[in-house]
Amino acid sequence: MSQDPFQELKRLQQRMKQILEQSAQASGEIEKGASASAAQPWTPVVDILEGETELVVKAELPEVKRDDVHLQLTGNVLTLSGERRLPPEQEGQAVQRERPWGRFVRHFNLPGHLDSDKISAHLREGVLTIRLAKKDRPTPRRIQIS
C-alpha cells in the first residue's frame, strides 16, 4: 500500500508551522494566540513602471509612517527598507493576527541610465511613489576607419 505524497506534504507543512510558531513564541517575538506570520519580516508588494522619461516605483506600505521608511540609491541599486509597527493599543489584544508587521527590506536593480539627482518620493494613502528621471542615452556615433 503506497502512501499519498500530498498527505505527507500537508503533514510536513503543519509540522513546520508548529515549529515556527513555537520558535517565535519562545523568543518572545509574538504573543500566544497570534499568528507566527505576523512576527516575520514582511515584503511590501511593488510595481515598477517604465515611461519615456522616468521610471516609477510604487510600493504598498499600509499603516507605515513616513519616518519609518528609508530609501537609498547606491549605483543602480535602489533599497527600500523600514518597519510597520504594531500600534501600542493593539499589543496583547490579538485573538488572531494575520496582517504582517515588523521590518522589511527590498532591493531593486535599476537600469544604469537614471539621473540620480532627479529622484522624488511621496507617501500618500499607504502607497509610496518613487519617481526616477531617465538620463538621455548617448546616441551611437559611427566612427570612420582610415
Side-chain angles (χ1 to χ4, degrees), residues 50-64:
E50 185 169 9
E52 290 291 320
T53 60
E54 68 181 358
L55 197 69
V56 178
V57 179
K58 290 189 171 201
E60 290 185 11
L61 302 174
E63 297 183 14
V64 177

Side-chain angles (χ1 to χ4, degrees), residues 16-140:
M16 289 299 298
K17 182 179 176 188
Q18 288 173 345
I19 290 169
L20 288 172
E21 285 176 352
Q22 290 168 354
S23 173
Q25 286 176 355
S27 67
E29 291 181 27
I30 61 172
E31 68 267 8
K32 291 186 182 199
S35 169
S37 64
Q40 301 301 317
W42 64 287
T43 304
V45 292
V46 173
D47 290 334
I48 300 177
L49 312 165
E50 185 169 9
E52 290 291 320
T53 60
E54 68 181 358
L55 197 69
V56 178
V57 179
K58 290 189 171 201
E60 290 185 11
L61 302 174
E63 297 183 14
V64 177
K65 294 181 173 33
R66 183 174 282 112
D67 293 339
D68 291 334
V69 178
H70 309 283
L71 285 173
Q72 183 174 340
L73 183 64
T74 305
N76 66 333
V77 177
L78 177 68
T79 301
L80 166 64
S81 62
E83 183 175 7
R84 178 164 51 196
R85 299 175 191 274
L86 187 64
E89 67 273 6
Q90 290 184 14
E91 287 183 20
Q93 293 183 1
V95 172
Q96 180 171 337
R97 184 171 284 126
E98 294 182 357
R99 297 183 315 136
W101 52 273
R103 296 189 181 278
F104 61 87
V105 64
R106 299 285 312 263
H107 302 280
F108 304 97
N109 290 318
L110 303 176
H113 61 278
L114 298 173
D115 189 343
S116 62
D117 293 328
K118 295 182 181 174
I119 300 173
S120 66
H122 303 281
L123 182 61
R124 184 173 170 193
E125 296 182 4
V127 177
L128 175 66
T129 302
I130 307 160
R131 296 185 178 281
L132 303 110
K134 290 183 177 179
K135 289 182 184 177
D136 290 332
R137 286 189 179 188
T139 55

